[in-house]
Amino acid sequence: MARSGRSNDWGFPRWRGYEDGREAVEVRICDRHGCDQAGNCPAPKSPNSPDRWYFCEKHAAEYNKGWDYFQGLDKEEAAQRAKAEQAESAGYAESQHYGWTGSGDGSRSADEMRALEVLELEADADFQAIKREWRARAKKVHPDVKPGDAEAAEEFQKLQLAYEVLKAAEERREWKG
């Protein structure tokens, strides 16, 4: 009868995983020069290319920081692509708790950014600045100030909608305890 070899589990078989082997596991190293971490985050070498770099989490974040998905597209093409992707992923919604951070840190949604464009404000504008700008612009084009002016009424509606979007986003961000 053949005797089995000595194991490394010191008599505690639960220390190793089920169906676990002792052979070496192949680990891909980060493609960034000088990095010895595991490269488990694929990143495209160029837009719409199947070739990938494999970075560690730190270098993947560094690589993706300046990435612009809509680079080279004009505004209409970018809007079409964004709309097509939203249609494909309509079943997935971002959790509301991701919006709890303050403004200006990349937490604004595309709707909020469009609303800020209507008010001609920067992305890091606080809610007091948004309110001031909305009031100043709304006073100029309000239907009571310019009765019968269809263009002013349409501009007022755009301002009102932009303010409502930003107000709802601000209410989601505030902690009501």
Side-chain angles (χ1 to χ4, degrees):
M1 183 156 147
R3 199 168 164 184
S4 63
R6 181 175 270 212
S7 69
N8 291 336
D9 59 19
W10 298 89
F12 299 100
R14 298 286 179 175
W15 278 10
R16 61 179 170 214
Y18 295 108
E19 305 297 324
D20 209 9
R22 292 184 183 188
E23 60 274 355
V25 177
E26 194 172 316
V27 176
R28 186 181 201 110
I29 302 297
C30 179
D31 285 334
R32 183 69 177 261
H33 179 70
C35 183
D36 61 352
Q37 300 293 318
N40 51 9
C41 299
K45 289 188 176 182
S46 64
N48 301 321
S49 170
D51 297 331
R52 301 278 188 246
W53 296 107
Y54 287 89
F55 294 122
C56 62
E57 287 185 25
K58 177 184 169 194
H59 292 123
E62 183 180 304
Y63 179 78
N64 290 330
K65 183 171 68 171
W67 187 266
D68 183 9
Y69 183 71
F70 299 109
Q71 184 177 11
L73 300 176
D74 60 9
K75 204 168 191 173
E76 291 82 25
E77 289 175 334
Q80 274 184 331
R81 186 176 286 183
K83 185 176 181 182
E85 288 183 4
Q86 285 176 346
E88 290 173 3
S89 63
Y92 303 101
E94 184 176 308
S95 295
Q96 291 297 324
H97 66 271
Y98 289 125
W100 285 0
T101 57
S103 61
D105 59 358
S107 64
R108 293 207 187 267
S109 68
D111 291 334
E112 292 173 71
M113 294 305 291
R114 283 191 290 272
L116 288 169
E117 281 180 19
V118 169
L119 294 172
E120 296 177 10
L121 291 171
E122 296 294 322
D124 61 347
D126 64 339
F127 191 67
Q128 296 302 320
I130 291 169
K131 201 172 193 178
R132 269 194 308 272
E133 188 64 27
W134 171 72
R135 283 183 175 170
R137 289 178 177 271
K139 284 180 183 178
K140 293 176 186 173
V141 293
H142 196 278
D144 291 343
V145 175
K146 294 188 174 185
D149 189 356
E151 193 174 303
E154 185 178 328
E155 180 67 21
F156 180 75
Q157 287 178 346
K158 283 182 188 177
L159 292 171
Q160 188 67 23
L161 181 61
Y163 179 72
E164 287 175 10
V165 166
L166 292 167
K167 184 178 179 183
E170 183 66 21
E171 286 177 358
R172 280 194 309 268
R173 280 190 187 92
E174 278 183 10
W175 174 254
K176 300 279 186 191

